[in-house]
Coordinates of all heavy atoms in Angstrom, one line a residue:
E194 N 22.0 12.4 -20.3 CA 22.0 11.3 -21.3 C 21.1 10.1 -20.8 O 20.3 9.5 -21.6 CB 23.4 10.7 -21.6 CG 24.3 11.7 -22.3 CD 25.7 11.1 -22.5 OE1 26.0 10.0 -21.9 OE2 26.5 11.8 -23.1
L195 N 21.1 9.9 -19.5 CA 20.2 8.8 -19.0 C 18.8 9.2 -19.2 O 17.9 8.3 -19.5 CB 20.5 8.6 -17.5 CG 19.6 7.7 -16.7 CD1 19.7 6.3 -17.3 CD2 20.0 7.7 -15.2
V196 N 18.4 10.4 -18.9 CA 17.0 10.8 -19.0 C 16.6 10.7 -20.5 O 15.5 10.2 -20.8 CB 16.8 12.3 -18.6 CG1 15.5 12.8 -18.9 CG2 17.0 12.4 -17.0
E197 N 17.4 11.1 -21.4 CA 17.0 11.1 -22.8 C 17.0 9.6 -23.3 O 16.1 9.3 -24.1 CB 18.0 11.9 -23.6 CG 17.9 13.4 -23.3 CD 18.9 14.3 -24.0 OE1 19.8 13.7 -24.6 OE2 18.7 15.5 -24.0
W198 N 17.9 8.8 -22.9 CA 17.8 7.4 -23.2 C 16.6 6.7 -22.7 O 15.9 5.9 -23.4 CB 19.1 6.7 -22.7 CG 19.0 5.2 -22.8 CD1 19.4 4.4 -23.9 CD2 18.6 4.2 -21.9 NE1 19.2 3.1 -23.7 CE2 18.7 2.9 -22.4 CE3 18.1 4.3 -20.5 CZ2 18.4 1.8 -21.7 CZ3 17.8 3.2 -19.8 CH2 17.9 1.9 -20.4
T199 N 16.2 7.0 -21.5 CA 15.0 6.4 -20.9 C 13.8 6.8 -21.7 O 12.9 5.9 -21.9 CB 14.9 6.9 -19.4 OG1 16.1 6.6 -18.7 CG2 13.7 6.3 -18.8
L200 N 13.6 8.0 -22.1 CA 12.4 8.5 -22.8 C 12.4 8.0 -24.2 O 11.3 7.7 -24.8 CB 12.3 10.0 -22.7 CG 12.0 10.5 -21.3 CD1 12.0 12.0 -21.3 CD2 10.7 10.0 -20.7
R201 N 13.6 8.0 -24.9 CA 13.6 7.7 -26.3 C 13.8 6.3 -26.7 O 13.4 5.8 -27.8 CB 14.7 8.6 -27.0 CG 14.4 10.1 -26.8 CD 15.6 10.9 -27.4 NE 15.4 12.3 -27.2 CZ 16.3 13.2 -27.4 NH1 17.5 12.9 -27.9 NH2 16.1 14.5 -27.2
E202 N 14.5 5.5 -25.9 CA 14.9 4.2 -26.3 C 14.5 3.1 -25.4 O 14.4 1.9 -25.8 CB 16.5 4.1 -26.5 CG 17.0 5.1 -27.5 CD 18.5 5.0 -27.6 OE1 19.0 3.9 -27.7 OE2 19.2 6.1 -27.5
A203 N 14.4 3.3 -24.1 CA 14.3 2.2 -23.1 C 13.0 1.5 -23.1 O 12.9 0.3 -22.7 CB 14.5 2.8 -21.7
G204 N 11.9 2.1 -23.6 CA 10.6 1.5 -23.6 C 10.1 1.2 -22.2 O 9.5 0.2 -21.9
L205 N 10.3 2.1 -21.3 CA 9.9 2.0 -19.9 C 8.7 2.9 -19.6 O 8.6 4.0 -20.1 CB 11.0 2.3 -18.9 CG 12.3 1.4 -19.0 CD1 13.4 1.9 -18.1 CD2 11.9 0.0 -18.7
G206 N 7.9 2.5 -18.6 CA 6.7 3.2 -18.2 C 5.6 2.3 -17.9 O 5.7 1.1 -18.0
A207 N 4.4 2.8 -17.6 CA 3.3 2.0 -17.3 C 2.0 2.7 -17.6 O 1.9 4.0 -17.5 CB 3.3 1.6 -15.8
P208 N 1.0 2.0 -18.1 CA -0.3 2.7 -18.5 C -1.0 3.2 -17.3 O -0.8 2.8 -16.2 CB -1.1 1.5 -19.2 CG -0.5 0.3 -18.6 CD 1.0 0.6 -18.3
K209 N -1.8 4.2 -17.5 CA -2.6 4.9 -16.5 C -3.6 3.9 -15.8 O -4.0 2.9 -16.4 CB -3.4 6.0 -17.1 CG -4.3 5.7 -18.2 CD -4.7 6.9 -18.9 CE -5.6 6.6 -20.2 NZ -5.9 7.8 -20.9
L210 N -3.9 4.2 -14.5 CA -4.7 3.3 -13.7 C -6.2 3.7 -13.9 O -7.1 3.0 -13.4 CB -4.3 3.4 -12.3 CG -2.9 2.9 -11.9 CD1 -2.6 3.0 -10.5 CD2 -2.8 1.4 -12.4
H211 N -6.5 4.9 -14.5 CA -7.8 5.4 -14.6 C -7.9 6.0 -16.0 O -6.9 6.7 -16.4 CB -8.2 6.4 -13.5 CG -9.6 6.8 -13.5 ND1 -10.1 7.8 -14.4 CD2 -10.7 6.4 -12.8 CE1 -11.4 8.0 -14.2 NE2 -11.8 7.2 -13.2
R212 N -9.0 5.9 -16.7 CA -9.1 6.4 -18.1 C -8.9 7.9 -18.1 O -8.4 8.4 -19.2 CB -10.5 6.1 -18.7 CG -11.7 6.7 -18.0 CD -12.9 6.3 -18.7 NE -14.1 7.0 -18.2 CZ -14.8 6.6 -17.1 NH1 -14.4 5.5 -16.5 NH2 -15.8 7.3 -16.7
N213 N -9.1 8.6 -17.1 CA -8.9 10.1 -17.1 C -7.5 10.5 -16.4 O -7.3 11.6 -16.2 CB -10.0 10.8 -16.3 CG -11.3 10.7 -17.0 OD1 -11.4 10.7 -18.2 ND2 -12.4 10.5 -16.2

Side-chain angles (χ1 to χ4, degrees):
E194 290 176 356
L195 174 62
V196 169
E197 293 177 349
W198 172 83
T199 302
L200 292 174
R201 296 174 184 174
E202 301 179 48
L205 297 174
K209 56 193 175 185
L210 298 179
H211 186 281
R212 66 179 183 275
N213 295 324

